[in-house]
Amino acid sequence: MPQGSSQPPHRVAVIVDEGTNPFEVGVATELFGLPRPELGLPGPLYEVTLCTPTRAVDMNHGFFAMTGTAGLDAVDDADTLVVPGRPDNVVPRGPAVLDAIRRTHARGARVMSFCTGSFALAEAGLLDERRATTHWMWAKTFRALHPRVRLEPDVLFVDEGGILTAAGSAAALDLGLYVIRRDHGAEIAGAVSRRLVFAAHRDGGQRQFVERPIPEVADASLGPLLAWAQERLGEPLTVADLAARAAVSPATLHRRFQAQLGTTPLAWLTGERVALACRLIERGEERLDVVAARSGLGTAANLRARVRRETGLSPSEYRRRFGPASGERVMA
């Protein structure tokens, strides 16, 4: 695991507006705000500030009240701004909240929304002509209110560079782990996900709403098959091999993956192999042909293409940023 940096932690501001959903605020603080001594780093990965437009804010249905927070001027020092959702999405946000979102984006900081927080980003004008997502139940309303946004209602999250949007509340965890992986690498993201007891990686393109039909047979769970495959990623596994192991046809396996994971067997297998390749690079393996072989990606050319698609970095850039020889961690 790369050594920590002497740089200050990445600063995250979370806007808590009237009616904000407590769950998404909890996700932000859980992902970015908690100390993580299990990582053995000299300091925290992130520094979180909760900020509100007024001195006291009642959250969704009055279950919680937020007091003692910073004001909205705290966003001016943030490297990342998180905007959680709220249920009254047809009610306009206050001008102070919209101004805070706009000026954060204008100076180049990263802006993220969780669940229906995308309504606030759209209202602030950040999403015009951009791809975005929101909770599937609000897709029709979102399109009616913000027709200039290229809404993708069937995915977990969308990365448009400096603007990222997550779908339903649990998808906030997926987006947060994705951001941690981009900022700090696969090893640290994996450690955070294990502490959360949550999947380390679900691709943003997976469907956010997965039907749960009655299983065809009692032992239709994919868990044992996934565990078996994860131990053999370096082998020339194919979808046919997975189907044979599960004692079903490839078509049946495909249906089970779509029903239980919202993705295809091949996409899942490729994602697991890329994650393993990233971990090998972080642990110091410099030979790309070895990384490609041990991760099951086959060739160095395929490794380069897959790692760049997943992380936005070439393997050499990924090594410089997250590898053990880098000396210091580069904060995003």
Side-chain angles (χ1 to χ4, degrees):
M1 184 176 296
Q3 297 300 308
S5 170
S6 59
Q7 298 181 24
H10 185 110
R11 294 163 298 187
V12 177
V14 183
I15 290 182
V16 185
D17 198 3
E18 195 74 23
T20 292
N21 289 324
F23 180 85
E24 284 125 50
V25 176
V27 168
T29 55
E30 175 76 30
L31 286 169
F32 305 121
L34 294 187
R36 304 202 178 274
E38 69 273 16
L39 298 179
L41 299 177
L45 300 176
Y46 301 93
E47 180 182 278
V48 172
T49 300
L50 302 180
C51 53
T52 56
T54 57
R55 296 184 64 180
V57 167
D58 286 329
M59 301 177 74
N60 189 3
H61 290 91
F63 287 122
F64 300 93
M66 187 70 69
T67 60
T69 57
L72 290 178
D73 57 350
V75 306
D76 297 326
D77 296 321
D79 303 300
T80 292
L81 175 64
V82 177
V83 183
R86 68 181 198 189
D88 51 347
N89 296 296
V90 297
V91 177
R93 269 66 177 173
V97 170
L98 297 178
D99 179 66
I101 294 171
R102 292 187 188 108
R103 68 176 187 265
T104 300
H105 174 63
R107 62 180 175 79
R110 182 168 58 195
V111 179
M112 300 166 53
S113 68
F114 288 168
C115 195
T116 57
S118 52
F119 279 78
L121 270 54
E123 195 175 346
L126 270 61
L127 300 181
D128 287 351
E129 311 305 329
R130 296 178 185 269
R131 296 181 307 120
T133 193
T134 195
H135 194 290
W136 61 271
M137 289 182 63
W138 285 92
K140 184 177 180 179
T141 302
F142 188 97
R143 282 198 174 104
L145 290 173
H146 307 292
R148 296 182 61 188
V149 181
R150 294 157 54 195
L151 185 68
E152 298 186 4
D154 295 327
V155 300
L156 291 175
F157 59 83
V158 171
D159 180 355
E160 279 283 272
I163 302 174
L164 303 94
T165 53
S169 296
L173 287 165
D174 293 296
L175 177 56
L177 287 169
Y178 169 83
V179 165
I180 292 172
R181 188 165 61 252
R182 285 292 180 99
D183 290 350
H184 301 290
E187 286 277 9
I188 285 181
V192 174
S193 70
R194 286 192 297 273
R195 178 163 168 178
L196 289 167
V197 195
F198 191 77
H201 172 65
R202 291 199 298 169
D203 186 76
Q206 288 183 215
R207 288 186 299 151
Q208 59 172 287
F209 180 69
V210 180
E211 297 285 356
R212 297 291 186 184
I214 298 174
E216 299 173 18
V217 293
D219 60 349
S221 169
L222 290 173
L225 176 65
L226 302 184
W228 177 83
Q230 285 170 329
E231 295 177 355
R232 295 165 175 80
L233 294 174
E235 300 177 12
L237 285 179
T238 64
V239 174
D241 295 327
L242 296 178
R245 175 69 182 182
V248 298
S249 69
T252 296
L253 185 71
H254 190 279
R255 288 195 299 271
R256 290 186 183 175
F257 265 77
Q258 289 286 3
Q260 296 183 35
L261 300 180
T263 189
T264 66
L266 181 59
W268 177 86
L269 191 59
T270 301
E272 291 295 313
R273 283 171 164 160
V274 172
L276 175 57
C278 289
R279 292 196 299 271
L280 291 170
I281 293 171
E282 289 178 35
R283 293 169 185 173
E285 180 54 68
E286 297 185 356
R287 298 163 295 176
L288 294 189
D289 56 339
V290 173
V291 174
R294 290 181 60 188
S295 64
L297 291 173
T299 66
N302 189 43
L303 170 70
R304 291 188 186 95
R306 295 293 182 178
V307 170
R308 181 176 288 279
R309 178 184 179 277
E310 174 61 30
T311 68
L313 304 171
S314 69
S316 59
E317 291 168 334
Y318 191 91
R319 182 186 301 112
R320 284 194 294 270
R321 185 168 182 180
F322 300 120
S326 61
E328 288 195 342
R329 178 181 311 287
V330 179
M331 302 298 289

